[in-house]
């Protein structure tokens, strides 16, 4: 377990969790996942309407809770990565503007080029 920002874990290399989080994020934003969620909600509503035993209703409700918890963790991870990418871009733009005002190109130009492609790294 680490308390580092998600975008800073593992240096410039993306780890297995970062790849899994990206693939999961892509899947959860797809129509297939929406259909799966509709099916799960339909099952819960059907279980209540059919008055199935309480154990089955609890299983359906707990399944929805587990999906919600996983989506919350995934959403927070994606949010933090996007936040970090935006901040790096803003910092690079500010530094490049300062260099431009001073009239001499410098390392901020390279930082700006790197920041533009930061989504590929995080």
């Amino acid at each position: 377990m680490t308390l580092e920002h998600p975008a800073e874990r593992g240096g410039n290399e993306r780890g297995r969790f970062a790849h899994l989080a990206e693939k999961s994020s892509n899947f959860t934003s797809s129509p297939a996942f929406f259909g799966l969620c509709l099916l799960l909600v339909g099952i819960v509503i059907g279980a209540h309407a059919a008055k199935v035993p309480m154990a089955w209703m609890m299983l359906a409700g707990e399944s929805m809770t587990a999906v919600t918890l996983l989506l919350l963790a995934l959403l927070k991870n994606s949010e933090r990565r996007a936040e970090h990418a935006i901040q790096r871009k803003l910092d690079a733009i500010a530094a490049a503007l300062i260099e431009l005002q001073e009239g001499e190109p410098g390392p901020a130009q390279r930082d700006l080029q790197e920041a533009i492609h930061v989504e590929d790294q995080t």
Side-chain angles (χ1 to χ4, degrees):
M1 185 169 121
T2 180
L3 298 177
E4 292 179 88
H5 192 283
E8 295 172 351
R9 295 178 195 148
N12 290 335
E13 294 293 319
R14 289 174 34 171
R16 290 186 305 195
F17 179 75
H19 287 289
L20 177 65
E22 181 179 355
K23 289 185 185 302
S24 298
S25 182
N26 291 340
F27 175 67
T28 56
S29 62
S30 72
F33 182 74
F34 181 75
L36 188 66
C37 288
L38 281 178
L39 178 66
L40 186 57
V41 169
I43 289 171
V44 170
I45 291 171
H48 283 285
K51 300 197 187 295
V52 297
M54 182 57 78
W56 287 102
M57 286 198 289
M58 287 183 65
L59 177 65
E62 289 171 356
S63 298
M64 288 184 65
T65 302
V67 167
T68 302
L69 183 61
L70 290 173
L71 285 175
L72 177 65
L74 181 64
L75 177 65
K76 188 61 178 174
N77 183 278
S78 296
E79 174 190 337
R80 295 290 310 254
R81 288 179 180 281
E83 170 190 308
H84 186 261
I86 290 170
Q87 189 59 51
R88 282 194 53 198
K89 287 178 183 179
L90 289 173
D91 291 346
I93 289 169
L97 286 174
I98 291 171
E99 283 183 357
L100 186 61
Q101 282 182 338
E102 293 174 353
E104 50 188 68
Q109 299 294 332
R110 284 190 310 274
D111 292 343
L112 182 57
Q113 289 295 330
E114 287 179 22
I116 290 171
H117 299 290
V118 78
E119 292 90 10
D120 297 335
Q121 299 171 4
T122 59

